[in-house]
Amino acid sequence: MVLFGLLLLPILFLLLYFIVRPRPINISIKNRHVFITGGSMGIGLAIAKQAASEGARISLLARSVDQLQKAKESICQAYEVEVSIFSADVRDYDTVERAIKEAGPIDVLVVNHGVYYMEEFETQGLDVMKTMIDVNLMGSFNVIKAALPSMKDRKDKGPASIALMSSMAGQAGIYGFAAYSATKFGLRGLAEALQQELLVNNIHLSIIFPPVTETSGIEQARERMPEITKIILESSPGMKAEEVGKITIQGIKSGSFSIPFRLDGQAVAIATAGLSPQTSFLMASIEVVFAGLFRFVALLLQWRGYEIIEKYNYSHKKQQVE
């Protein structure tokens, strides 16, 4: 049986070579225009600095002019690259469109902006949910729709990229993340559909799935999030924004559709690959051969989450009785 399986592997690899779509691609960053939304701090600024270190021309879009100016100064002090800044709210299509037209044709668009408010679905206000939908999902529609005409008509016909910042909460639902997860799951569907529409224009989609990242935003969110959510998040170490920025740029350059982080992120990405595009023959082979194993690993991660929830609820009820 084992021998039969080994004999089938070369046939599998040959088959994958012909069916993997999009085809493997390398996307250059050097001397190209990288436009980043939510680029004034946190992960967005880390991505900008990584791109600048590789010789890219940088454009940053965010709401705060002061934060944008500080971000520009920090990049220019470290790297000799051109940096442009644009103040706009991604919910306002007209303002976003003006900023993108002023910035000029984009080679790499990183849709990084986002807001998150962690709370149980039943108690979270509809206005808060709507804010997350408007910023995370509709804001992404606005940015991409405004950028597409110039990206499709760019003089440099080399491969271009649109990278969407999702989250591990966009791969698996997490307690207290219901509305936020819905917006991040939506980005995956957007990326999958857009890849089919834009491949003819040599534009390649990436969807980024970082774990909890140590930024000022997550520190503020911890003050308001449910206790169960805090316990779940504390069970997995966070990443530094600089690490996320470096891996993100590496993933974009390699044309990867899915950009996960760490071993647990890789396991979840493989377990949830589904009908997502795959540009790597190696990763396609791993997904096919080890799908069952990584599904088991994913179930273990789910089990750990449910164990935390059950223990907390049992302890909470016990305290109420006492």
Side-chain angles (χ1 to χ4, degrees):
M1 190 69 176
V2 175
L3 180 61
F4 179 71
L6 291 174
L7 290 173
L8 282 179
L9 282 178
I11 299 174
L12 170 64
F13 295 153
L14 182 62
L15 181 61
L16 288 173
Y17 176 81
F18 286 104
I19 68 173
V20 162
R21 292 293 186 279
R23 307 302 287 175
I25 192 78
N26 289 316
I27 299 173
S28 175
I29 294 290
K30 187 177 177 61
N31 296 325
R32 303 189 83 197
H33 184 198
V34 178
F35 190 104
I36 304 164
T37 67
S40 63
M41 62 178 68
I43 293 176
L45 180 55
I47 293 171
K49 288 183 175 180
Q50 182 62 36
S53 74
E54 301 190 25
R57 177 166 74 90
I58 307 297
S59 289
L60 305 176
L61 183 144
R63 287 182 296 175
S64 171
V65 175
D66 290 341
Q67 287 293 341
L68 281 166
Q69 190 60 47
K70 290 177 182 177
K72 178 179 179 177
E73 290 172 1
S74 69
I75 296 171
C76 291
Q77 286 172 2
Y79 310 102
E80 294 183 0
V81 297
E82 181 183 346
V83 180
S84 302
I85 56 175
F86 303 92
S87 175
D89 188 322
V90 295
R91 293 171 290 187
D92 183 342
Y93 177 80
D94 292 336
T95 306
V96 169
E97 184 181 40
R98 283 196 297 272
I100 287 176
K101 283 183 176 179
E102 184 180 343
I106 297 167
D107 299 299
V108 176
L109 174 64
V110 183
V111 185
N112 168 75
H113 64 268
V115 294
Y116 45 88
Y117 304 99
M118 279 77 98
E119 188 177 349
E120 285 94 345
F121 182 85
E122 185 177 6
T123 58
Q124 190 166 59
L126 287 172
D127 58 332
V128 177
M129 295 178 180
K130 187 176 184 302
T131 295
M132 284 189 279
I133 293 170
D134 288 345
V135 174
N136 300 353
L137 203 51
M138 289 304 302
S140 298
F141 292 171
N142 289 340
V143 170
I144 296 171
K145 201 165 184 65
L148 270 183
S150 64
M151 291 189 75
K152 292 172 75 172
D153 294 335
R154 67 194 185 282
K155 293 180 180 179
D156 175 4
K157 295 301 181 182
S161 171
I162 297 175
L164 300 173
M165 185 61 67
S166 182
S167 162
M168 285 189 74
Q171 295 171 293
I174 301 172
Y175 189 103
F177 280 77
Y180 176 73
S181 284
T183 66
K184 293 301 184 177
F185 268 86
L187 291 180
R188 174 170 174 162
L190 171 62
E192 290 182 2
L194 273 180
Q195 182 60 93
Q196 294 185 6
E197 294 182 19
L198 299 179
L199 189 58
V200 68
N201 303 107
N202 206 12
I203 298 175
H204 300 262
L205 272 291
S206 293
I207 184 85
I208 308 156
F209 297 111
V212 172
T213 305
E214 299 304 326
T215 64
S216 58
I218 193 63
E219 291 304 320
Q220 294 173 6
R222 279 196 178 103
E223 298 174 3
R224 302 184 300 271
M225 70 177 61
E227 284 301 316
I228 293 178
T229 307
K230 289 181 183 178
I231 297 169
I232 292 173
L233 296 186
E234 287 169 359
S235 67
S236 179
M239 286 187 72
K240 294 185 181 300
E242 292 75 17
E243 296 176 284
V244 174
K246 184 175 181 179
I247 294 172
T248 294
I249 290 296
Q250 289 173 347
I252 291 171
K253 288 168 59 180
S254 66
S256 300
F257 178 81
S258 176
I259 304 178
F261 299 78
R262 301 186 315 209
L263 287 176
D264 56 342
Q266 291 282 358
V268 173
I270 293 170
T272 60
L275 292 173
S276 292
Q278 178 55 264
T279 59
S280 167
F281 302 132
L282 174 61
M283 287 306 302
S285 302
I286 292 172
E287 288 170 359
V288 172
V289 175
F290 297 105
L293 173 62
F294 283 103
R295 173 58 176 157
F296 178 72
V297 172
L299 289 171
L300 283 176
L301 293 173
Q302 284 282 18
W303 169 77
R304 184 177 66 177
Y306 280 105
E307 279 283 292
I308 290 171
I309 294 168
E310 289 171 6
K311 286 181 180 178
Y312 178 87
N313 286 332
Y314 175 77
S315 174
H316 190 63
K317 288 179 181 178
K318 189 176 180 181
Q319 289 176 0
Q320 287 180 327
V321 170
E322 292 175 352

